[in-house]
Amino acid sequence: MTTTAGGVVGTALRSLGQRHRELGYCWVVGWCSPAAFAMLLVGLLAQLVANGNAEHGWVRAVRKLTDTYRKLPERWGGSVIPSPRLRDRPLREDPANRRDLFFLALEPLVALVVLFAPNMMAWYGLFGLFAPGIDALLGGHHGMFYGAVFNSPVAALPGGLALYYAALRLAGPASRLHAHRWLPRLLAPAPSVAAEMERRRLAERVEELTETRTTTVDSREAELRRIERDLHDGAQARLVAIGLALGTVDALLETDVERAREMVRQARDSSARALTELRDLVRGIRPPVLAERGLVDALRALALDAPLQAEVDAEGLTSRPDGPIETALYFAVAELLTNAARHGDAAHARVELSHADGVLRCTVWDDGRGGAHEEAGPELGPGGSGLRGIRRRLSAFDGNVDIESPAGGPTLVMMELPCVLSSRKTSSSSERGSATS
């Protein structure tokens, strides 16, 4: 019963706070609109006085002001109005300038009609709440404002409450009408500009996908060459040597038994080393723990083997991503931990995994000396090629990588991959605690 009452009170307080935010929108934007119009007039006057020499700075000021208006809907439950600017258009020739000027000219009138009604009702209602005190300070002369209407300051109290409540009720529709209907009318891109922007966006997307495909193909080709080289120079060479040794053993069995036994022991050692190299090669393609137990346990095993103290926090990840995404993220974290220990002199690292809104997020933090940069060089320090490789690896899945690594540390790398978790659950051992080495 108490819980239900607390929930009702909490809901009422949140609703009241939202209504006051909407009333605040009406107040702030309602008074800023005349100021914007005054700026427009001052700019026009400056243009006339300066014979057009101040046009460049004035247009930039108008742009900044209208861009501020474009961000208003996001703060009040909507979305940011996209900018109508075309990057290749000169400042003076941009058709959006005319729409911006037209908006600033009409905005004070629209704000007066839409936003000032709840403003005045709210302030007049507040005046009614304080009318008895004001009347007492004036020595009983209450013939103006509420006294002229109710003929008594006491009657102003319920009247003030009613007006303030009506202002709160009216502020929501007024703010939404202004932010979601009026602002996009002139501040959003014109239909022709919107079509051009969409065409360019699609062209950029096609170019991005083409580049990603090329990078993925090149990475796969390089990986195949690495596997072929490791097989040829490692396990394959050892197996050939074992075959030759066994042929020699066959010839020595009749003449030198001790020498044959020695070569058999060498062949046994070579076969063990070849098996180890094959296991390492398979682990470099897709670690068995990753395939069998999933990403969380694979990262915890990686943390245990890392050359620094590392821990993994993945309490909120109860299902597994797809196999290719698991593999890409596993090797990205492995690269980051290696770089932190080898190049950053880090002693501690932390890996955090979470999934929300269809995005898998992985954050890797270390207490190293920082300075990690993708464009590595003599003056920037090592590790750049590894970071670029991580970005290329994740770009195949439309992933994103953000790096924060100021000089002196710490280093924070945030990776995001759009994905939907599968129905496969993480292993029971990975659902509790974090691994620390």
Side-chain angles (χ1 to χ4, degrees):
M1 189 72 176
T2 304
T3 304
T4 304
V8 171
V9 172
T11 302
L13 289 177
R14 285 192 295 270
S15 176
L16 186 62
Q18 176 63 24
R19 294 188 184 280
H20 277 89
R21 285 193 295 269
E22 294 166 346
L23 184 61
Y25 177 95
C26 295
W27 173 255
V28 175
V29 179
W31 282 110
C32 286
S33 297
F37 183 71
M39 174 186 166
L40 176 65
L41 295 180
V42 171
L44 289 174
L45 182 61
Q47 286 288 95
L48 295 176
V49 173
N51 294 324
N53 294 329
E55 180 179 2
H56 193 78
W58 178 58
V59 171
R60 286 191 178 278
V62 169
R63 279 191 170 191
K64 185 173 294 187
L65 180 60
T66 52
D67 285 342
T68 302
Y69 271 100
R70 289 185 177 95
K71 297 176 183 177
L72 286 177
E74 183 184 31
R75 297 191 175 189
W76 303 96
S79 57
V80 175
I81 299 174
S83 175
R85 320 291 182 197
L86 296 175
R87 290 190 297 268
D88 57 347
R89 295 286 181 88
L91 182 63
R92 298 177 57 181
E93 300 177 7
D94 196 331
N97 294 337
R98 293 189 296 272
R99 293 171 65 89
D100 288 350
L101 294 176
F102 191 43
F103 166 79
L104 292 178
L106 293 179
E107 168 61 11
L109 179 60
V110 175
L112 178 64
V113 173
V114 177
L115 302 180
F116 268 97
N119 279 335
M120 302 312 297
M121 292 171 65
W123 282 106
Y124 201 55
L126 289 174
F127 178 80
L129 296 177
F130 294 104
I134 296 173
D135 183 74
L137 290 176
L138 295 176
H141 301 287
H142 53 270
M144 61 188 327
F145 297 105
Y146 276 85
V149 179
F150 299 109
N151 200 28
S152 171
V154 177
L157 288 172
L161 285 174
L163 279 175
Y164 193 77
Y165 178 75
L168 289 178
R169 297 288 296 182
L170 186 60
S175 61
R176 287 190 293 271
L177 178 63
H178 185 271
H180 302 160
R181 295 294 183 89
W182 160 243
L183 293 184
R185 184 70 63 181
L186 288 177
L187 295 183
S192 58
V193 176
E196 176 66 15
M197 293 176 68
E198 180 66 13
R199 186 190 66 79
R200 295 187 181 188
R201 187 190 68 81
L202 293 176
E204 291 174 358
R205 181 61 176 162
V206 169
E207 182 179 356
E208 178 185 351
L209 291 176
T210 302
E211 181 180 355
T212 301
R213 182 190 63 183
T214 303
T215 301
T216 304
V217 171
D218 292 343
S219 299
R220 183 177 180 84
E221 183 66 23
E223 186 71 9
L224 290 175
R225 287 197 298 269
R226 182 189 68 82
I227 295 173
E228 182 182 6
R229 182 177 62 253
D230 290 347
L231 286 174
H232 183 271
D233 298 340
Q236 180 178 339
R238 294 190 184 280
L239 292 175
V240 171
I242 291 173
L244 294 175
L246 291 177
T248 305
V249 167
D250 186 47
L252 291 175
L253 284 176
E254 300 295 334
T255 57
D256 192 346
V257 177
E258 290 300 324
R259 175 63 176 164
R261 288 176 178 173
E262 178 64 23
M263 296 195 68
V264 168
R265 285 194 293 270
Q266 294 177 1
R268 187 185 301 115
D269 293 340
S270 295
S271 66
R273 287 194 291 271
L275 181 60
T276 300
E277 291 176 355
L278 287 173
R279 285 173 176 170
D280 292 339
L281 182 62
V282 171
R283 192 175 294 111
I285 299 173
R286 181 169 172 81
V289 65
L290 182 63
E292 296 170 4
R293 302 185 64 84
L295 179 62
V296 175
D297 274 358
L299 290 180
R300 286 177 175 152
L302 184 66
L304 291 173
D305 295 334
L308 74 169
Q309 186 177 4
E311 60 181 19
V312 178
D313 182 6
E315 293 299 325
L317 198 66
T318 57
S319 299
R320 295 180 57 176
D322 292 335
I325 291 181
E326 284 188 329
T327 303
L329 205 53
Y330 172 86
F331 284 110
V333 174
E335 178 75 22
L336 292 172
L337 293 180
T338 301
N339 284 348
R342 181 180 302 170
H343 304 306
D345 295 331
H348 300 85
R350 179 177 178 84
V351 181
E352 295 183 358
L353 277 174
S354 63
H355 184 272
D357 301 326
V359 177
L360 179 63
R361 294 176 177 86
C362 179
T363 302
V364 181
W365 172 92
D366 69 75
D367 61 353
R369 62 173 180 238
H373 203 284
E374 291 187 57
E375 286 76 24
E379 70 284 355
L380 295 172
S385 60
L387 294 175
R388 287 196 301 272
I390 291 174
R391 187 177 295 278
R392 286 196 301 268
R393 183 187 292 271
L394 299 187
S395 67
F397 306 95
D398 282 342
N400 185 47
V401 180
D402 289 327
I403 303 170
E404 297 179 6
S405 183
T411 296
L412 182 66
V413 180
M414 295 163 284
M415 298 172 284
E416 294 185 345
L417 287 165
C419 76
V420 177
L421 298 182
S422 67
S423 58
R424 298 178 299 169
K425 300 292 184 180
T426 57
S427 62
S428 58
S429 63
S430 66
E431 292 176 0
R432 300 177 57 87
S434 61
T436 307
S437 64

